Amino acid sequence: MRRAIIGIILLLALSLLTFVLFFSSGVDVTRFACGKNCTPEKRATTEKALGYDKPTVVQWTDFLQGVVVGRDYPDDPELQRESPEIVTHCPAPCFGFSQVNAKTVNSLIAEAAPVSISLAMVAVFLWVLFGVLFGLIAAVRKGTWIDRGIVGATLVVYAFPTFFIGIFLLKYVAIKWQLLPFPQYVTIADGGVGEWFVNLLLPATTLALFYLAGYVRITRAFVLESLSEDYIRTATAKGLAPRKVLFKHALRAALTPLVTMIGLDLASLLGGAIITETVFSYHGLGALALRANVSYDLPVLIGLLLLAGAFVILANIVVDVLYAYIDPRVRLD
Amino acid sequence: MTTPFLSVRDLKVHFPTPDGIVKATDGLSFTLEKGKTIGIVGESGSGKSVSSSAILGLHRHTNAIVSGEILLDGVDLLKISDEDMRRKRGADVAMIFQDPLSAMHPYYTVGSQIAEAYRVHHDVSRKKAKARAVEMLDRVGIPQPDHRVDDYPHQFSGGMRQRAMIAMALINNPSLLIADEPTTALDVTVQAQILDLLQDLQRDFDAAVIMITHDLGVIAEMADDVLVMYAGRAVEYGAGKEILTHPEMPYTWGLLSSVPDVAGDTSAKLIPIPGNPPSLLTPPPGCAFNPRCTHKDKVPGDLCTTVLPDLVPGVRSETHLKRCHLANPDAIYEQEILPEILPELVEER
């Protein structure tokens, strides 16, 4: 409960900071929203419609009000009377209205989120599975060429930029060798789980390869550390088979750091994998954020930042709760 | 003469390192009968734990070279397959470790860890194994065992943890129990309880016990035979009482002199052994103890620094073996050592 309150305060601060930073950037943001053929009159209307004429703090409180009770766009009563046909109602929790896209931020995020969530899920699945597997193998074969090969190869892959790996996979695996279909996002409802998964495989692999090295190393390090613990010797002395000692006793101790890393990486990933989504032209949250950035689309930026922030805070809470399940010493009794 | 229950012959455990071979155990031999206890004494790094780990087959082939012969009930443990050795671990040979907190997995309940030891060697249900764990916890004197079985190691006190470790080790009725400094990490008051418990259980289970310790008090209480180790070798070996009352090796004298005598005369001096244990990588030539030995001037010539003495019967009996060049150790002990560590005893005489 205390953590939830702290989380909300953090989100409030995050949103205020975004407003302040946005307006202190020195860029004429109204000019961007106004469009190419901007007359002084049109500009004034746009400024009023977006509320950019009000002080930053007022805009922020208006935004908060929208989140709590909903809001109409444009919310200037004069403009609403002049042209009632353009008025859009945005029900609570309203995260704003994007002039650039002529849609509410909620609907933009609702469109993009499934893509990013799918991508993140498949990517996490891939990197955790292979990261832990390779990490275990490297730990068991410590000091051999297998160990060095695994650690070295994952580091090399890590060193390559994401767009390089993405384009490489796209060009060779999908186009030249045609091992996988050219990836385009298919919802589970449209194509079933198989189709959905196959199409996500390349972008998810691109993402996963970046994270893989970290998981290999952390698994290797923690499994090695726990293998040298006294309780591993006890387990062996009981007559347990080596495999059981490794999986039941050694890997168990490496679970805490792994869960921490997965939680935090997953949270940051849900904010959008900008480069990967761009390379594969997936219209996820990352691509949305990139477009919003380029067009100075404040409402979308705020919405995405709050979403990403909320994910990080939530992930931290979930990880903390999971600790208690993993480590009995953390349990309060 | 019948073959002994456990017979270790010329056991060597060598660790190859980039700097050379570390001879942690270098030619250790001893025998042990069922229901008897042998105490292995020595400083840290003298090869006590390494030797006993070898009996349990805990050394990895990749980093240790184990040679010699370990005959347990006629079977050479160094010749059987890894899988056969695994089957013996925990079932025929069990071990109790020094620090029960780190020797137990922090994430599993005490009961599940004890039950696990049972299930490895018995094809029974979880429930049955747990019932057996409760039974063993009761046996080692844990109050309310049916409740405590679900506790985690950190919820146990130090003494209770060691009791639980003993329960874990004895759950399969092993015929050989290795106790590696089982009381070192415990409070003095708890130490005595644990030793009593071990003795009781040993009687009931008729197990052979290898008691590894650096505490001569433990040896005096528990051991039938004593083997004193120094730098990977036995330096004195014989019946417990004999070794403790008539030691013939200066290193054993040193160990005895460094034991505080609480009940006795406070004027008795505590005499630490000077210097440090030798490097096992490049042990000193001759007798490994010679750089720290204060009696080597009583040996003619430079025998101590050039020739490694054999482990041979001493002056008192055929079964009391010692590795020392001194010709009359018994006399030196009576005249020089005893008056310093037990002055009142000498006065009585």
Side-chain angles (χ1 to χ4, degrees), chain A residues 140 227 230-231 233-234 236-242 244 248-250 252-253 256 326-329 331 333, chain B residues 56 58 60 86 89-90 93 95 97 102-108 113 116-117 120-121 152 154-155 165 168:
Chain A
V140 174
L227 275 177
D230 283 356
Y231 54 76
R233 191 179 50 175
T234 309
T236 311
K238 279 182 200 171
L240 283 178
K244 199 147 191 204
K248 192 175 169 190
H249 291 256
R252 181 74 171 78
T256 314
I326 296 170
D327 190 343
R329 288 170 300 184
R331 265 172 233 170
D333 45 5
Chain B
L56 210 52
L58 289 181
R60 293 222 213 155
R86 184 188 71 71
R89 270 201 289 269
V93 191
M95 192 155 176
F97 297 99
S102 63
M104 286 186 144
H105 203 298
Y107 294 171
Y108 293 109
Q113 294 186 56
E116 186 182 37
V120 177
H121 302 287
Y152 288 91
H154 70 275
Q155 292 165 310
M165 281 299 293
M168 193 190 297

Side-chain angles (χ1 to χ4, degrees), chain A residues 74-155:
Chain A
D75 64 355
D76 188 78
E78 205 178 302
L79 284 173
Q80 283 184 7
R81 237 177 297 120
E82 274 172 26
S83 41
E85 74 280 359
I86 64 156
V87 173
T88 313
H89 178 65
C90 174
C94 173
F95 287 98
F97 181 84
S98 165
Q99 192 79 5
V100 180
N101 294 288
K103 277 179 182 167
T104 60
V105 172
N106 299 41
S107 64
L108 281 170
I109 287 177
E111 277 167 31
V115 180
S116 287
I117 291 172
S118 302
L119 190 57
M121 272 167 53
V122 177
V124 166
F125 170 74
L126 288 176
W127 89 54
V128 171
L129 179 71
F130 288 103
V132 171
L133 190 70
F134 288 152
L136 267 178
I137 295 172
V140 174
R141 297 262 174 271
K142 185 197 163 202
T144 65
W145 62 268
I146 299 175
D147 173 28
R148 278 174 216 152
I150 287 174
V151 172
T154 51
L155 268 181

Side-chain angles (χ1 to χ4, degrees), chain B:
Chain B
M1 201 179 108
T2 53
T3 49
F5 174 64
L6 172 73
S7 161
V8 174
R9 244 176 281 169
D10 200 27
L11 177 67
K12 290 180 180 171
V13 185
H14 291 180
F15 298 97
T17 69
D19 302 325
I21 295 173
V22 173
K23 296 175 179 174
T25 303
D26 204 21
L28 186 70
S29 303
F30 64 89
T31 58
L32 182 62
E33 294 296 346
K34 267 198 167 179
K36 297 284 183 193
T37 300
I38 185 170
I40 301 185
V41 212
E43 286 164 297
S44 317
S46 59
K48 301 168 292 178
S49 296
V50 167
S51 308
S52 54
S53 294
I55 297 171
L56 210 52
L58 289 181
H59 294 297
R60 293 222 213 155
H61 304 304
T62 46
N63 58 16
I65 302 165
V66 184
S67 64
E69 201 179 61
I70 301 171
L71 286 171
L72 180 73
D73 227 357
V75 179
D76 189 344
L77 300 184
L78 292 181
K79 292 217 168 62
I80 60 178
S81 71
D82 285 356
E83 179 58 22
D84 286 344
M85 187 64 228
R86 184 188 71 71
R87 271 186 240 277
K88 286 198 176 292
R89 270 201 289 269
D92 299 334
V93 191
M95 192 155 176
I96 302 168
F97 297 99
Q98 179 174 351
D99 180 0
L101 181 59
S102 63
M104 286 186 144
H105 203 298
Y107 294 171
Y108 293 109
T109 62
V110 172
S112 72
Q113 294 186 56
I114 297 174
E116 186 182 37
Y118 191 62
R119 290 191 76 209
V120 177
H121 302 287
H122 296 85
D123 189 18
V124 295
S125 68
R126 268 169 209 284
K127 220 173 149 185
K128 270 203 175 133
K130 190 176 170 181
R132 174 93 176 118
V134 173
E135 195 184 303
M136 282 309 292
L137 283 177
D138 188 37
R139 193 70 208 287
V140 296
I142 302 269
Q144 292 184 292
D146 46 337
H147 285 97
R148 302 311 299 256
V149 74
D150 291 322
D151 278 359
Y152 288 91
H154 70 275
Q155 292 165 310
F156 270 39
S157 69
M160 275 164 65
R161 274 194 287 265
Q162 194 57 290
R163 284 171 191 269
M165 281 299 293
I166 293 171
M168 193 190 297
L170 293 180
I171 196 164
N172 294 313
N173 297 339
S175 46
L176 174 62
L177 180 66
I178 303 170
D180 189 353
E181 309 227 10
T183 57
T184 307
L186 303 176
D187 283 348
V188 188
T189 48
V190 182
Q191 282 185 7
Q193 295 171 11
I194 295 291
L195 290 180
D196 277 353
L197 176 68
L198 273 174
Q199 271 179 323
D200 282 355
L201 293 171
Q202 176 181 21
R203 234 185 337 267
D204 297 352
F205 287 93
D206 196 29
V209 174
I210 299 177
M211 176 69 69
I212 298 165
T213 182
H214 58 252
D215 185 344
L216 288 171
V218 173
I219 293 293
E221 181 156 344
M222 299 277 297
D224 300 299
D225 288 343
V226 175
L227 191 150
V228 182
M229 276 190 87
Y230 190 78
R233 295 196 187 93
V235 292
E236 192 154 11
Y237 175 36
K241 219 172 216 146
E242 164 73 17
I243 300 269
L244 289 177
T245 50
H246 295 93
E248 295 186 16
M249 160 78 196
Y251 177 61
T252 316
W253 300 345
L255 286 178
L256 283 168
S257 312
S258 42
V259 178
D261 181 11
V262 181
D265 190 348
T266 42
S267 70
K269 268 190 276 179
L270 267 186
I271 308 147
I273 306 172
N276 289 309
S279 154
L280 295 173
L281 197 60
T282 48
C287 173
F289 187 61
N290 85 68
R292 303 168 73 186
C293 186
T294 50
H295 300 275
K296 63 183 168 195
D297 53 334
K298 299 182 183 79
V299 175
D302 51 4
L303 220 51
C304 284
T305 53
T306 51
V307 180
L308 174 70
D310 290 326
L311 188 67
V312 290
V315 289
R316 287 173 52 88
S317 88
E318 277 299 304
T319 55
H320 182 161
L321 307 179
K322 52 116 196 187
R323 191 189 289 277
C324 185
H325 289 302
L326 284 173
N328 54 346
D330 207 34
I332 297 175
Y333 180 72
E334 294 270 332
Q335 286 156 23
E336 292 185 23
I337 311 297
L338 212 51
E340 282 195 342
I341 57 176
L342 284 172
E344 73 272 43
L345 188 77
V346 179
E347 271 166 35
E348 275 169 30
R349 285 187 193 171

Side-chain angles (χ1 to χ4, degrees), chain A residues 289-302:
Chain A
L290 187 67
R291 272 184 288 131
N293 238 315
V294 174
S295 57
Y296 284 87
D297 195 350
L298 174 71
V300 174
L301 282 181
I302 302 267

